[in-house]
Coordinates of all heavy atoms in Angstrom, one line a residue:
R17 N 12.6 -5.9 -10.0 CA 12.0 -6.7 -11.0 C 10.9 -6.1 -11.8 O 10.7 -6.4 -13.0 CB 11.4 -8.0 -10.3 CG 12.5 -8.9 -9.8 CD 12.0 -10.2 -9.3 NE 10.6 -10.3 -9.1 CZ 10.0 -11.4 -8.6 NH1 10.7 -12.4 -8.3 NH2 8.7 -11.4 -8.4
N18 N 10.2 -5.1 -11.2 CA 9.0 -4.6 -11.9 C 9.3 -3.1 -12.3 O 8.5 -2.2 -11.9 CB 7.8 -4.7 -11.0 CG 7.5 -6.1 -10.7 OD1 7.8 -7.0 -11.4 ND2 6.8 -6.3 -9.6
K19 N 10.2 -2.9 -13.1 CA 10.5 -1.5 -13.6 C 9.4 -1.0 -14.4 O 9.0 0.2 -14.3 CB 11.8 -1.5 -14.4 CG 13.0 -2.0 -13.6 CD 13.9 -0.8 -13.3 CE 15.1 -1.3 -12.6 NZ 15.5 -0.6 -11.5
E20 N 8.7 -1.8 -15.2 CA 7.6 -1.4 -16.0 C 6.3 -1.9 -15.4 O 6.3 -3.0 -14.8 CB 7.7 -2.0 -17.4 CG 8.9 -1.4 -18.2 CD 8.9 -2.0 -19.6 OE1 7.8 -2.3 -20.2 OE2 10.0 -2.3 -20.1
K21 N 5.3 -1.1 -15.5 CA 4.0 -1.5 -15.0 C 3.3 -2.4 -16.0 O 2.8 -1.9 -17.0 CB 3.1 -0.2 -14.7 CG 1.8 -0.5 -14.0 CD 1.1 0.7 -13.6 CE -0.2 0.5 -13.0 NZ -0.9 1.7 -12.6
L22 N 3.3 -3.6 -15.7 CA 2.7 -4.6 -16.6 C 1.2 -4.7 -16.4 O 0.7 -4.3 -15.3 CB 3.3 -6.0 -16.5 CG 4.8 -6.0 -16.7 CD1 5.4 -7.4 -16.3 CD2 5.2 -5.6 -18.1
K23 N 0.5 -5.3 -17.3 CA -1.0 -5.5 -17.2 C -1.3 -6.2 -15.8 O -0.7 -7.2 -15.5 CB -1.5 -6.3 -18.3 CG -3.0 -6.4 -18.3 CD -3.5 -7.2 -19.5 CE -5.0 -7.3 -19.5 NZ -5.6 -8.0 -20.6
G24 N -2.3 -5.6 -15.1 CA -2.7 -6.2 -13.9 C -1.9 -5.7 -12.6 O -2.2 -6.1 -11.5
M25 N -0.9 -4.9 -12.9 CA -0.1 -4.4 -11.8 C -0.7 -3.0 -11.3 O -1.3 -2.3 -12.1 CB 1.3 -4.2 -12.2 CG 1.9 -5.6 -12.5 SD 3.7 -5.5 -12.6 CE 4.1 -6.0 -11.0
E26 N -0.4 -2.7 -10.1 CA -0.9 -1.4 -9.5 C 0.3 -0.6 -9.0 O 1.3 -1.2 -8.6 CB -1.8 -1.7 -8.4 CG -3.0 -2.5 -8.8 CD -4.0 -2.8 -7.7 OE1 -3.6 -2.5 -6.5 OE2 -5.1 -3.2 -8.0
T27 N 0.2 0.7 -9.0 CA 1.3 1.5 -8.4 C 1.0 1.7 -6.9 O -0.1 2.1 -6.5 CB 1.3 2.9 -9.1 OG1 1.5 2.7 -10.5 CG2 2.4 3.7 -8.6
H28 N 2.0 1.4 -6.1 CA 1.9 1.5 -4.7 C 2.9 2.6 -4.2 O 4.0 2.7 -4.7 CB 2.3 0.2 -4.0 CG 2.5 0.2 -2.6 ND1 1.5 0.5 -1.7 CD2 3.6 0.1 -1.8 CE1 1.9 0.4 -0.4 NE2 3.2 0.2 -0.5
H29 N 2.4 3.5 -3.3 CA 3.2 4.5 -2.7 C 4.0 3.8 -1.5 O 3.3 3.4 -0.5 CB 2.4 5.7 -2.2 CG 1.9 6.5 -3.3 ND1 0.7 6.2 -4.0 CD2 2.3 7.6 -3.9 CE1 0.5 7.1 -4.9 NE2 1.4 8.0 -4.9
I30 N 5.3 3.8 -1.5 CA 6.0 3.1 -0.5 C 5.8 3.8 0.9 O 5.5 3.2 1.9 CB 7.5 3.1 -0.8 CG1 7.8 2.3 -2.1 CG2 8.4 2.6 0.3 CD1 9.1 2.5 -2.8
L31 N 5.8 5.1 0.9 CA 5.3 5.9 2.0 C 4.0 6.5 1.5 O 4.0 7.3 0.7 CB 6.3 7.1 2.4 CG 5.8 8.0 3.5 CD1 5.6 7.2 4.8 CD2 6.8 9.1 3.7
P32 N 2.9 5.9 2.0 CA 1.6 6.4 1.5 C 1.3 7.9 1.6 O 1.9 8.5 2.5 CB 0.6 5.6 2.5 CG 1.4 4.4 3.0 CD 2.8 4.9 3.1
K33 N 0.5 8.3 0.7 CA 0.2 9.8 0.8 C -0.4 10.2 2.1 O -0.1 11.3 2.6 CB -0.8 10.1 -0.4 CG -0.1 10.1 -1.7 CD -1.1 10.5 -2.8 CE -0.3 11.4 -3.8 NZ -1.2 11.9 -4.8
H34 N -1.2 9.4 2.7 CA -1.8 9.7 4.0 C -0.8 9.8 5.1 O -1.1 10.4 6.2 CB -2.9 8.7 4.4 CG -2.5 7.4 4.7 ND1 -2.5 6.4 3.7 CD2 -1.9 6.8 5.8 CE1 -2.1 5.3 4.2 NE2 -1.6 5.5 5.5
A35 N 0.5 9.4 4.8 CA 1.5 9.4 5.8 C 2.6 10.4 5.4 O 3.7 10.4 5.9 CB 2.1 8.1 6.0
G36 N 2.3 11.2 4.4 CA 3.2 12.3 3.9 C 4.0 11.9 2.7 O 4.9 12.7 2.2
G37 N 3.7 10.8 2.1 CA 4.4 10.4 0.8 C 4.0 11.2 -0.4 O 2.9 11.9 -0.3
D38 N 4.8 11.1 -1.4 CA 4.5 11.9 -2.6 C 4.5 11.0 -3.8 O 4.6 9.8 -3.7 CB 5.5 13.0 -2.8 CG 6.9 12.5 -2.9 OD1 7.2 11.4 -3.3 OD2 7.8 13.3 -2.6
D39 N 4.4 11.6 -5.0 CA 4.3 10.8 -6.3 C 5.7 10.7 -7.0 O 5.8 10.4 -8.1 CB 3.3 11.4 -7.3 CG 1.9 11.3 -6.8 OD1 1.6 10.3 -6.1 OD2 1.1 12.2 -7.1
S40 N 6.8 10.9 -6.2 CA 8.1 10.8 -6.8 C 8.4 9.4 -7.2 O 7.9 8.4 -6.6 CB 9.2 11.4 -5.9 OG 9.3 10.6 -4.7
E41 N 9.2 9.2 -8.2 CA 9.6 7.9 -8.7 C 10.2 7.0 -7.6 O 9.9 5.8 -7.5 CB 10.6 8.0 -9.9 CG 10.9 6.7 -10.5 CD 11.8 6.8 -11.7 OE1 11.7 7.9 -12.4 OE2 12.5 5.9 -12.0
E42 N 11.0 7.6 -6.7 CA 11.6 6.9 -5.6 C 10.6 6.3 -4.6 O 10.9 5.4 -3.9 CB 12.6 7.8 -4.8 CG 13.7 8.4 -5.6 CD 13.2 9.7 -6.3 OE1 12.5 10.5 -5.7 OE2 13.5 9.9 -7.5
N43 N 9.4 6.9 -4.6 CA 8.3 6.5 -3.6 C 7.3 5.6 -4.3 O 6.3 5.2 -3.6 CB 7.7 7.8 -3.0 CG 6.8 7.4 -1.8 OD1 7.2 6.6 -1.0 ND2 5.6 7.9 -1.8
L44 N 7.5 5.2 -5.5 CA 6.5 4.3 -6.2 C 7.1 3.0 -6.6 O 8.3 2.9 -6.9 CB 6.0 5.0 -7.5 CG 5.4 6.4 -7.3 CD1 5.1 7.0 -8.6 CD2 4.1 6.3 -6.4
V45 N 6.3 2.0 -6.5 CA 6.7 0.6 -6.9 C 5.5 -0.1 -7.5 O 4.3 0.2 -7.1 CB 7.3 -0.2 -5.7 CG1 6.2 -0.4 -4.7 CG2 7.9 -1.5 -6.2
N46 N 5.7 -0.9 -8.5 CA 4.6 -1.6 -9.2 C 4.4 -3.0 -8.5 O 5.4 -3.7 -8.4 CB 4.9 -1.8 -10.7 CG 4.9 -0.5 -11.4 OD1 4.1 0.4 -11.2 ND2 5.9 -0.3 -12.3
L47 N 3.2 -3.2 -8.1 CA 2.9 -4.5 -7.4 C 1.7 -5.1 -8.0 O 0.8 -4.5 -8.6 CB 2.6 -4.2 -5.9 CG 3.6 -3.5 -5.1 CD1 3.1 -3.2 -3.7 CD2 4.9 -4.3 -5.0
T48 N 1.5 -6.4 -7.8 CA 0.3 -7.1 -8.2 C -0.8 -6.7 -7.2 O -0.4 -6.2 -6.1 CB 0.5 -8.6 -8.2 OG1 0.7 -9.1 -6.8 CG2 1.6 -9.1 -9.1
Y49 N -2.0 -7.0 -7.5 CA -3.1 -6.6 -6.6 C -2.9 -7.3 -5.2 O -3.0 -6.7 -4.1 CB -4.4 -7.1 -7.2 CG -5.6 -6.7 -6.3 CD1 -6.1 -5.4 -6.2 CD2 -6.2 -7.7 -5.5 CE1 -7.2 -5.1 -5.4 CE2 -7.3 -7.3 -4.7 CZ -7.7 -6.1 -4.6 OH -8.8 -5.7 -3.8

Side-chain angles (χ1 to χ4, degrees):
R17 291 190 343 186
N18 300 334
K19 299 253 186 229
E20 294 180 34
K21 187 174 179 182
L22 303 174
K23 184 177 180 179
M25 299 191 94
E26 301 178 349
T27 302
H28 170 67
H29 289 83
I30 297 166
L31 176 61
K33 286 184 142 185
H34 66 261
D38 59 23
D39 291 330
S40 65
E41 187 175 328
E42 304 83 43
N43 192 44
L44 301 175
V45 64
N46 297 317
L47 303 175
T48 65
Y49 181 78

